[in-house]
Amino acid sequence: MIKIEKADRLKQLPPYLFAELDRKKAEARARGVDVIDLGVGDPDLPTPDHIIAKLTEAARQPRYHRYPSYTGMNDFREAVSRWYKKRANVELDPLREVVSLIGSKEGIAHIPLAFVNPGDVVLVPSPAYPVYAIATMFAGGIPHEMPLLKENGFLPDLDAIPAAVLARAKMMFLNYPNNPTAATASREFFEQVVAFAERHQIMVCHDYAYSEMGFDGYVPPSFMEIAGAKEVGIEFHSLSKTYNMTGWRIGFAVGNAQIIGGLGQIKSNIDSGIFEAVQVAGIEALEGDQSCISRMCEIYTERRDVLVAGLKRLGIKVAVPRATFYVWFEAPTGHTSASFAALLLEKAGIVATPGNGFGAPGEGYVRMALTVSKERLQEAVERIAAIGIGR
Ligand SMILES: *Cc1c(COP(=O)(O)O)cnc(C)c1O
C-alpha cells in the first residue's frame, strides 16, 4: 500500500460548508420525511421537446460520432454569433470571438489557467458561485473577495478595492443576474466596470448564465453590449438554465479574441469539445421556437409570487427578485444562515441553502431555489408558518 497524499491545491480548498446540511438532508429522507428541496439550482422542468427531437435525429448520424473540434462546430459558433446580434445587437466573429464550452462551468474553471500566474490576484464576488475562487486557486492565483452587500444593491464597490490589490489584479469575475443574491446590474454599472478594467488593466469575465430569466418585463443586459466591453473582457453563457439543459453540458464564451483564444488553447490541451449531436441540438435551442422561454418565465414568476408573498406574511425580510430562479432573504432575527437552514430542515423538512456557504458576506442570508411546483412552495410556506416563524 502506497501513501496517497493529495496535492496542495486540493488541501488548500476551503471547508465544504454544505456537508453538514447534505448529511442532514440524507438523514431526513432516510427517516421518511417528505423533503421539499429548495437547495439546488437545477431546473425541475424538462428540456423542450423540439430540442430533444433534434438530438435524437442528430445522434443517428455517423458524421456526428467522431471527435468534435475543441472550439466547437462552426455552425454552432455561427448560431451563437447570430443570437448575440439578435438579442444584444453585438457583432461577434464566430471563428475568433466565440468558443463552445462543456457547460459554462468548464470555461469558468479553465480561464484562470490561461491568464493567471502564481501570485496574481483575481477579483471575485462574495457571496458567489464557488467556481470563480476555486479555479483561481487551482491556477495559483489569489482570490480577492469583493463583498456583495445589500446597501450596494449586491454590486461590488469597485472604489473599495485597495490600490495594492489592484496593482496585482489580473482578472475579475462578475455574475448578473446574480446567483445567489438574485441581484441585477444596470448598463451604467457595466460601463463603470469597463472604465475600471481599462484603468487598471484587468480582464473581465462576466457570467451571464441567467440572461433569459427576467420577470415582469425585465431584460437583463449583456456585458458585451457595453461600448468597450470587447476590449476588456468576455462573457460566459450557458444553455443550462435558459432551456432546462443542465445535464446536456453545453455552453459558450464570447468576446475579446485574445481571451477567447487563450481559453481555447487551454481546452485544446485538456478536452475534445462537445458531442456534435448535442451542438446540433444547441443550435435548435438558440434558433428554434423561443416560446419555451416565456412559458418558463411565467412558471417561475408564479412560483416566485407564491414564495415571496408567503415569506413576507411570516415577517421575513425578502426583496422580490426580478431575475434568476432564486429567492434570497434575511434569516429571522436571532438566527444565523446555518441555524435557520438547520431549523427549516429539522422542523419543516425544507432544504434551503445557508448564504454563508457562498462566502462570508452571505452570512445572515438564506437562498431558496424556485425549482419545485407552486403547490409545493405553498406547502413549504405553510410548514414554515407551523413551526412558529412570524408569530
Ligand atoms: C448554473 C450556473 C452556471 C451554469 O453552469 P453550466 O456549467 O453551464 O451548467 C454558471 N454560473 C452560475 C452562476 C450558475 O448558477
Side-chain angles (χ1 to χ4, degrees), residues 41 102-106 108 129 132 175 179 207 209-210 237-241 245-246 249-251 326:
I102 309 169
S104 57
K105 182 179 187 178
E106 180 261 303
I108 294 165
Y129 188 57
Y132 315 134
N175 163 224
N179 173 14
D207 181 351
Y210 296 93
H237 212 294
S238 172
L239 304 188
S240 287
K241 312 290 165 49
M245 290 173 74
T246 48
R249 310 317 300 137
I250 180 164
Y326 302 111

Side-chain angles (χ1 to χ4, degrees), residues 82-161:
R82 284 191 294 270
W83 185 89
Y84 260 92
K85 177 69 192 161
K86 202 165 140 195
R87 169 67 169 76
N89 198 24
V90 171
E91 307 276 352
L92 293 167
D93 174 354
L95 294 182
R96 295 167 58 250
E97 296 175 334
V98 180
V99 66
S100 70
L101 298 171
I102 309 169
S104 57
K105 182 179 187 178
E106 180 261 303
I108 294 165
H110 283 145
I111 189 84
L113 290 181
F115 298 102
V116 174
N117 283 316
D120 287 346
V121 167
V122 175
L123 305 172
V124 298
S126 180
Y129 188 57
V131 187
Y132 315 134
I134 290 172
T136 298
M137 288 159 66
F138 280 176
I142 301 165
H144 175 84
E145 284 190 3
M146 303 182 288
L148 305 186
L149 305 176
K150 182 184 175 185
E151 58 262 36
N152 300 324
F154 299 105
L155 298 170
D157 179 359
L158 302 176
D159 297 331
I161 304 168

Side-chain angles (χ1 to χ4, degrees), residues 45-51 212 241-245 284-286 288-300:
L45 304 167
T47 307
D49 276 338
H50 64 286
I51 301 172
E212 305 314 295
K241 312 290 165 49
T242 306
Y243 302 102
N244 304 319
M245 290 173 74
E284 177 65 21
L286 291 171
D289 182 4
Q290 300 297 301
S291 63
C292 53
I293 297 180
S294 48
R295 276 199 303 279
M296 166 187 80
C297 287
E298 271 168 38
I299 292 173
Y300 289 134

Side-chain angles (χ1 to χ4, degrees), residues 209-275:
Y210 296 93
S211 68
E212 305 314 295
M213 235 186 244
F215 314 128
D216 312 325
Y218 174 68
V219 181
S222 160
F223 181 66
M224 283 300 128
E225 66 191 68
I226 306 306
K230 216 197 271 183
E231 274 74 68
V232 300
I234 63 170
E235 188 156 77
F236 286 101
H237 212 294
S238 172
L239 304 188
S240 287
K241 312 290 165 49
T242 306
Y243 302 102
N244 304 319
M245 290 173 74
T246 48
W248 295 52
R249 310 317 300 137
I250 180 164
F252 49 92
V254 307
N256 183 279
Q258 280 172 277
I259 304 179
I260 293 295
L263 177 56
Q265 204 179 344
I266 294 291
K267 286 177 59 57
S268 69
N269 287 287
I270 292 183
D271 65 60
S272 298
I274 309 162
F275 179 26

Side-chain angles (χ1 to χ4, degrees), residues 326-374:
Y326 302 111
V327 173
W328 177 252
F329 60 88
E330 292 177 47
T333 314
H335 276 289
T336 63
S337 296
S339 76
F340 192 60
L343 179 79
L344 287 175
L345 184 53
E346 279 158 25
K347 297 278 168 22
I350 295 169
V351 178
T353 311
N356 65 321
F358 299 101
E363 179 51 56
Y365 287 86
V366 173
R367 189 193 77 176
M368 287 182 172
L370 299 169
T371 49
V372 302
S373 70
K374 63 175 195 271

